[in-house]
Amino acid sequence: MQLKNKLIAGLVAGAAAFFVGLNQQVSAATVNNDYALSASEGSSLRTSNNVIIAHATAVYAPARNVATYEKREWYNVGAYVQYIVGDGGKIYRVGQEGYQAWGAGSWANANAPVQVELAQTYDQAEFRKDYVTYVNLLRSSAVKYGIPTTVDSSAWRGVKSHLWVTNHVWGDHTDPYGYLASHGVTKAQFAHDVHYGFSSSGNYVSPAPKPGHKPVRPSNKKHVDVTYAMHQRNGHWLSPVKNAGSGANGFAGVPNSAHDMLYIKVNHGSLMYRVHTIEDGWLPFVHKANKNDTVNGVAGIKGHTIDGVQMYYTTPHGETYQQAYYRSQSTQRSGYLGTCADNGTVNGYDSWAGMYGEPLDRLQISINDHSNF
């Protein structure tokens, strides 16, 4: 691995002032450099300036501890980011801005001059301070590098969650939305906050839209049929199943059997899906359904055991929002596991079906605006 040479002379080793500009208003935060990688540490590769990546740490631990760990283990575990926010609104720097961090896969690392981790806490007051700093750091970083402040848009530039990277590029992370939801922050609220930012007092620069007495729009819900089938490991394709019901025709698969390939298709909208196998881990998302095309038309590898499934349904524009609801069983336990909704973006539902290491033997799917399971 090639290490970078000295980047900037006179970096201050202690705390440095970091100013965040917000619509003519400026709030001062403090960046702690005690855990910053030295000039001989970290990647020497410069980034393209296309995205700012928003993470959550996935562990309930002080931000200082996370920064300490990344400083110490960056090379051994191959993971670090530029900033970690937490401990009541503090910012700890690890990686160098404008140089690749190792936080979300090769594409994201190469295109993100800044990646930010949000440390997790159970304390609501501490979360509020962390959240304001996190949002402002994401927003000011985007402005600094000429990147749009839109969150998770369809464009390949902007502020992106780790979940967006998983859905559009690579990976299996869904942060930071699960953690934000645990403190009552929705995806829509997060997008609004990053776009507008907070003032120095911690208030919204542009007030969040409040629910009003709006006319109720008529439902434009379309019925969606989902058809799917599994292939027995070292066997043959089983008969396809449409939607989910009860009895022998209500699921794909054979009880107490292992399966190695899966295809899923919908008659309206679009669906992407992938499988996890015991031998390979998570395989790439598949967007087609053709059992005769084992490269692009099915998820899985012949002879390799499926133990997990994940999918995401996209509702056509202007229609009532619907999702893929699904659940599975394994050969090693009775009863269905928890119900999943798309890929983990819905609070209260699992993010994928299955259990690592246990062959998946039954799968049920429905597309709806609510779960029937």
Side-chain angles (χ1 to χ4, degrees), residues 279-302:
E279 296 83 359
D280 312 290
W282 285 107
L283 298 174
F285 277 105
V286 176
H287 299 265
K288 301 178 182 179
N290 181 357
K291 67 180 182 181
N292 297 317
D293 180 0
T294 57
V295 176
N296 300 307
V298 303
I301 298 174
K302 192 170 184 179

Side-chain angles (χ1 to χ4, degrees), residues 36 64 121 131 135 166 201 271 286 290-291 293 343 349-350:
R64 183 183 295 271
T121 177
Y131 181 68
V135 164
T166 294
S201 65
L271 183 118
V286 176
N290 181 357
K291 67 180 182 181
D293 180 0
N343 58 357
Y349 288 94
D350 290 342

Side-chain angles (χ1 to χ4, degrees), residues 182-204:
S182 73
H183 284 282
V185 177
T186 64
K187 290 176 67 176
Q189 185 67 59
F190 178 57
H192 173 276
D193 295 344
V194 171
H195 184 65
Y196 291 103
F198 292 94
S199 69
S200 58
S201 65
N203 295 320
Y204 296 114

Side-chain angles (χ1 to χ4, degrees), residues 103-351:
S106 58
W107 181 89
N109 296 341
N111 284 276
V114 174
Q115 299 191 48
V116 184
E117 290 273 11
L118 177 60
Q120 298 189 182
T121 177
Y122 293 107
D123 187 281
Q124 184 66 25
E126 182 177 335
F127 167 79
R128 175 63 185 179
K129 295 177 182 177
D130 295 344
Y131 181 68
V132 169
T133 301
Y134 178 64
V135 164
N136 282 352
L137 179 55
L138 291 168
R139 184 181 187 281
S140 65
S141 297
V143 172
K144 176 179 179 179
Y145 288 97
I147 296 171
T149 58
T150 52
V151 176
D152 287 357
S153 71
S154 59
W156 288 81
R157 301 191 75 243
V159 178
K160 304 298 183 185
S161 67
H162 202 162
L163 173 65
W164 187 95
V165 176
T166 294
N167 288 341
H168 294 82
V169 186
W170 172 90
D172 60 3
H173 289 67
T174 60
D175 55 303
Y177 291 120
Y179 173 59
L180 294 181
S182 73
H183 284 282
V185 177
T186 64
K187 290 176 67 176
Q189 185 67 59
F190 178 57
H192 173 276
D193 295 344
V194 171
H195 184 65
Y196 291 103
F198 292 94
S199 69
S200 58
S201 65
N203 295 320
Y204 296 114
V205 172
S206 176
K210 297 180 179 180
H213 297 287
K214 298 180 179 178
V216 178
R217 294 182 179 179
S219 174
N220 189 26
K221 180 181 176 183
K222 305 295 184 183
H223 177 75
V224 181
D225 287 321
V226 55
T227 303
Y228 49 107
M230 301 193 75
H231 184 277
Q232 278 189 293
R233 190 183 64 191
N234 302 321
H236 61 279
W237 280 104
L238 302 169
S239 298
V241 176
K242 181 183 289 188
N243 303 324
S246 59
N249 296 322
F251 60 84
V254 174
N256 303 311
S257 295
H259 302 84
D260 54 12
M261 290 185 287
L262 165 72
Y263 74 81
I264 312 172
K265 60 183 178 181
V266 292
N267 69 337
H268 188 72
S270 62
L271 183 118
M272 65 179 186
Y273 59 101
R274 64 176 179 171
V275 299
H276 184 281
T277 70
I278 294 175
E279 296 83 359
D280 312 290
W282 285 107
L283 298 174
F285 277 105
V286 176
H287 299 265
K288 301 178 182 179
N290 181 357
K291 67 180 182 181
N292 297 317
D293 180 0
T294 57
V295 176
N296 300 307
V298 303
I301 298 174
K302 192 170 184 179
H304 292 198
T305 305
I306 294 174
D307 61 355
V309 176
Q310 187 180 54
M311 63 193 76
Y312 189 89
Y313 176 75
T314 300
T315 306
H317 180 71
E319 295 183 9
T320 300
Y321 184 60
Q322 300 191 78
Q323 295 168 295
Y325 291 93
Y326 54 107
R327 62 180 184 173
S328 69
Q329 288 197 45
S330 83
T331 60
Q332 298 182 25
R333 62 189 71 213
S334 61
Y336 280 99
L337 299 169
T339 300
C340 309
D342 279 348
N343 58 357
T345 57
V346 183
N347 194 31
Y349 288 94
D350 290 342
S351 61

